[in-house]
Amino acid sequence: MIRKVCIVSREMEGVAEAGGLKDAVRGIADALSESGIETTVVLPLYGFVEPGEKIGDYSIPVNGQFVTVSASVRFLGGIRIILLSAEAFQNKKAVYTYTEEDAPSPELIGKGHLDVHQMNVLLQSGAVRSLLEEESPPDIIHGHDGHTGLLPLYIKPYAAKGGFFERTGVLITIHNAGEAYQQALGSPERTEMMTGLSQEDLRLGLLNGKVNPLLIAGIFAEVNTVSPGYAREIISKKDQYTGGLGAAYRNIGLRPKGITNGIDPRLWGFCASAEKGKSFHKETMRREITAMIYQGLPEGIEYIGACPDPSVPWVLFHNRFTEQKGMEELLGLPIVKHTSIPYAMIVYGQGDPVWEDALEAQCDRSDHWTFFNGYDKDWTNRLFCASSFVIVPSLWEPCGQIDMIGQLSGALPIVRRVGGLKKIRHFRDGFSYSHHAENGLGKTLEKALWLEDKAKTWVWMMRRHAENIVYGKRSWRKVLVRGYLPLYRKAIRNIRHLRSFRHEQSGRNDS
């Protein structure tokens, strides 16, 4: 029986927020706590996060020196939050990237932190040290993404028979296995110096000449990812985005389980009066938003381009601006055959400055494009509720949450059929197009707009069905019971099996 779980992450909704990972961590933690399971989440205490009540100081080896990490505790509902404070965290004003306030130089604004590996070491080692001070160990340590892939090695000295973590299982959830997201370190010698971990163990996780935390996790712990479709893609011989991680998993006999992320409708409740996304309500929302453009936008939101027409359907793109998210296909929309049905293209978010500049230029050329640069939770809700469709043209997508938010708010998703986006069923709860389809996004959007104009009852029924799917299958409570609790139990059962069999397999492959 699972009684106590510790989650380790770089972000969480309500404390430190950045990407979609924040919602998953909060959703799992809430579902665990509401199920009566003692739940702790360990997070960095960034410079923008409020500390809790101090509980201890720990000396952590990093790069051959010892760094002091202080831990404090506070609560978020029934969730206990341990916040780890160190200079590497305190001088950061955002979770993953430099801001104007903390960037060492102007060219690093919006770029990833230079000391990211040191931050990850402090998080993982600090989390284990704080748990060692507890009266009893957790049944499961649940780490998220490559930032936490070394956790099984950090608990290894205390996991032998009679050790504090003897009966503690470790699960690492991969939210994005793209090569740039794996947090790959250096050589075993360099990584030993940085982490204080055994070079013998680190060598087992070598991939492309670097110690790979996600390969380490696959050898010494249980690993899953955030949709069945993405799990299949990772280990497929056609895999082209993981830099060989999928092949390495196949070599050690690992097939990660795919558990589709859930969503908490309570966090996206702005549309509670939307009457199942009926069009008249959406037009009312669009008029409210256009009025706000002239009266004043939320702090942190910059408006560029045309003022969108509230009388036509709005098509929303909301995501990080990276190549993975399909920015090239998005910017190619105006060159496909323009639909006879007028619409407004709303682009909202932030990311790589190169893409932001391209979007500004696009808005200068197109009188039906609007770009809202920045992020605000209430503004996000408003845009979803006002939009008829949300487009998700990602080149690869581990799970997809934008599509589920769209389903909850009556903005039917239009997705490329990859990874976790394969859960969208064409013409039933959204629209999808083949990964290889020429102008797939433009053609599918044109079809959706035609239906919105000519077959309103059918589209209304699709919106009802999409919302029912989310409430019926995608709540975090259901995902926990059907997916994560069985996997937690498996991680506990397989502790010694994983730490022996895969260890031997990796050793043979390495030789």
Side-chain angles (χ1 to χ4, degrees):
M1 183 175 180
I2 307 296
R3 295 182 175 87
K4 187 175 182 180
V5 173
C6 176
I7 296 171
V8 183
S9 175
R10 284 286 303 274
E11 58 172 306
M12 176 182 174
E13 195 275 332
V15 182
E17 304 180 359
L21 172 58
K22 68 180 184 300
D23 301 299
V25 171
R26 177 65 183 273
I28 293 171
D30 276 337
L32 285 166
S33 176
E34 291 166 6
S35 299
I37 296 171
E38 185 180 337
T39 306
T40 299
V41 180
V42 182
L43 298 164
L45 182 66
Y46 303 103
F48 58 90
V49 175
E50 288 294 322
E53 181 180 348
K54 187 172 179 178
I55 58 172
D57 292 317
Y58 316 115
S59 188
I60 305 296
V62 182
N63 286 327
Q65 299 178 334
F66 285 91
V67 175
T68 298
V69 173
S70 298
S72 62
V73 171
R74 69 186 226 211
F75 288 84
L76 185 62
I79 305 166
R80 180 170 174 259
I81 310 291
I82 295 179
L83 297 164
L84 300 178
S85 175
E87 184 180 356
F89 298 139
Q90 284 287 286
N91 62 19
K92 303 301 190 301
K93 302 301 180 183
V95 174
Y96 301 119
T97 58
Y98 288 112
T99 67
E100 291 184 11
E101 188 177 351
D102 63 2
S105 58
E107 63 269 18
L108 288 176
I109 296 172
K111 303 295 184 181
H113 297 135
L114 298 176
D115 57 349
V116 59
H117 297 316
Q118 179 180 347
M119 295 168 71
N120 293 340
V121 167
L122 293 172
L123 172 64
Q124 294 170 96
S125 183
V128 171
R129 289 294 301 277
S130 67
L131 291 176
L132 285 169
E133 302 296 322
E134 305 273 315
E135 291 184 3
S136 61
D139 299 303
I140 286 287
I141 298 175
H142 186 174
H144 291 268
D145 262 347
H147 311 97
T148 64
L150 299 179
L151 278 170
L153 290 187
Y154 277 109
I155 75 164
K156 188 181 176 188
Y158 314 98
K161 187 174 182 179
F164 187 76
F165 293 117
E166 177 189 7
R167 299 182 184 278
T168 297
V170 179
L171 170 67
I172 305 297
T173 296
I174 303 173
H175 294 263
N176 196 325
E179 196 168 0
Y181 297 87
Q182 293 173 17
Q183 309 300 311
L185 298 149
S187 66
E189 295 81 7
R190 178 72 186 90
T191 304
E192 180 185 41
M193 174 68 72
M194 173 176 288
T195 64
L197 295 170
S198 159
Q199 193 176 140
E200 179 184 1
D201 288 335
L202 293 170
R203 285 189 180 279
L204 298 174
L206 273 179
L207 180 63
N208 302 323
K210 296 181 178 181
V211 175
N212 190 293
L214 292 181
L215 183 52
I216 291 288
I219 295 168
F220 291 96
E222 198 71 42
V223 172
N224 82 295
T225 189
V226 290
S227 72
Y230 192 54
R232 289 191 293 269
E233 287 179 8
I234 287 176
I235 60 171
S236 166
K237 292 184 179 180
K238 297 180 181 179
D239 166 52
Q240 56 181 317
Y241 296 115
T242 70
L245 180 64
Y249 279 172
R250 293 199 304 272
N251 287 341
I252 60 174
L254 173 61
R255 290 181 171 270
K257 182 175 179 60
I259 301 174
T260 301
N261 273 344
I263 191 169
D264 188 347
R266 296 171 298 185
L267 300 179
W268 302 99
F270 189 84
C271 287
S273 61
E275 297 194 41
K276 309 301 181 184
K278 288 185 179 178
S279 58
F280 71 82
H281 181 85
K282 288 190 172 292
E283 183 167 343
T284 300
M285 291 295 302
R286 292 195 289 263
R287 294 193 183 280
E288 289 181 7
I289 289 173
T290 53
M292 290 177 68
I293 289 174
Y294 295 109
Q295 295 167 4
L297 294 172
E299 184 178 356
I301 300 295
E302 182 184 1
Y303 157 65
I304 300 157
C307 181
D309 183 350
S311 67
V312 302
W314 286 11
V315 178
L316 175 65
F317 175 92
H318 172 48
N319 231 315
R320 296 191 312 277
F321 302 152
T322 66
E323 183 180 8
Q324 177 207 340
K325 298 302 181 181
M327 294 299 297
E328 188 171 340
E329 188 171 22
L330 170 70
L331 289 165
L333 266 178
I335 64 172
V336 303
K337 180 181 178 182
H338 191 71
T339 176
S340 57
I341 309 297
Y343 70 97
M345 185 70 230
I346 312 295
V347 181
Y348 166 52
Q350 52 196 338
D352 190 321
V354 172
W355 293 116
E356 292 186 359
D357 291 343
L359 287 168
E360 289 192 33
Q362 183 59 48
C363 289
D364 288 339
R365 293 192 298 266
S366 303
D367 60 5
H368 68 292
W369 275 59
T370 304
F371 175 23
F372 294 109
N373 193 345
Y375 178 80
D376 176 83
K377 180 65 178 291
D378 177 72
W379 190 247
T380 304
N381 270 314
R382 288 180 180 275
L383 287 178
F384 269 100
C385 292
S387 298
S388 298
F389 304 99
V390 57
I391 57 176
V392 194
S394 302
L395 300 182
W396 81 93
E397 192 62 62
C399 176
Q401 187 192 45
I402 298 298
D403 55 331
M404 292 189 285
I405 298 172
Q407 289 176 316
L408 278 174
S409 53
L412 285 172
I414 300 173
V415 306
R416 189 194 297 268
R417 202 176 302 126
V418 295
L421 299 176
K422 292 177 181 177
K423 64 181 176 293
I424 299 300
R425 293 172 295 177
H426 192 48
F427 279 118
R428 293 191 65 187
D429 51 17
F431 303 89
S432 66
Y433 60 95
S434 168
H435 180 66
H436 303 291
E438 184 178 357
N439 294 333
L441 176 60
K443 292 175 181 177
T444 308
L445 174 58
E446 186 168 2
K447 187 176 298 182
L449 289 166
W450 185 90
L451 286 170
E452 177 83 334
D453 185 57
K454 305 297 184 184
K456 294 185 186 298
T457 300
W458 177 267
V459 176
W460 178 79
M461 290 175 63
M462 286 181 65
R463 289 191 172 110
R464 286 292 302 271
H465 184 62
E467 185 183 41
N468 290 338
I469 284 289
V470 175
Y471 278 103
K473 297 178 64 175
R474 310 293 186 209
S475 75
W476 274 114
R477 171 66 176 161
K478 289 183 171 64
V479 171
L480 175 69
V481 171
R482 297 172 182 172
Y484 279 104
L485 288 182
L487 194 54
Y488 287 168
R489 289 190 283 268
K490 180 182 178 185
I492 295 170
R493 287 196 306 272
N494 289 353
I495 290 171
R496 290 185 177 81
H497 171 72
L498 293 179
R499 293 170 190 170
S500 58
F501 175 74
R502 287 185 187 157
H503 186 287
E504 294 170 4
Q505 290 289 97
S506 183
R508 286 200 291 270
N509 291 329
D510 188 54
S511 62

